Amino acid sequence: MFNLKALQRNKTLKYGVPMLLDPSLEARVNVQNQAVVLEEQYEKLKEKNLDDWKNIRGPRPWEDSRQYQEQQRSR
């Protein structure tokens, strides 16, 4: 009939089917709430003045970060 071990190794059956059969997952995700949060973040970004920003490069892995920070502060 069916090979039980082959079914247990099948990733679609192991991971996909439980996702389709679990309606509580959709309730936990709450997609409508995420849309509201994104809109709030968009409104915050619209209020900020993005024309006067300054790009500050961080230290490279081989550079001494303390020395680099002191150089940035002195400028």
Side-chain angles (χ1 to χ4, degrees):
M1 195 171 184
F2 290 107
N3 186 351
L4 185 59
K5 290 191 179 204
L7 288 176
Q8 289 174 342
R9 281 187 251 137
N10 188 331
K11 290 183 180 181
T12 303
L13 290 175
K14 189 174 183 180
Y15 300 111
V17 173
M19 296 291 282
L20 294 174
L21 299 177
D22 190 3
S24 64
L25 179 65
E26 185 178 345
R28 282 188 269 159
V29 171
N30 197 359
V31 175
Q32 293 175 349
N33 190 18
Q34 288 180 353
V36 172
V37 172
L38 287 175
E39 289 175 6
E40 290 173 4
Q41 291 298 321
Y42 176 71
E43 293 299 325
K44 287 179 185 177
L45 283 174
K46 276 188 3 183
E47 294 172 1
K48 292 187 179 188
N49 184 4
L50 298 177
D51 294 331
D52 297 331
W53 68 280
K54 182 178 179 184
N55 189 13
I56 300 174
R57 181 181 73 81
R60 303 291 191 239
W62 56 85
E63 295 175 338
D64 183 20
S65 63
R66 290 183 182 158
Q67 181 184 6
Y68 186 76
Q69 289 174 357
E70 290 173 6
Q71 288 175 355
Q72 290 293 324
R73 288 185 186 124
S74 66
R75 289 183 184 177

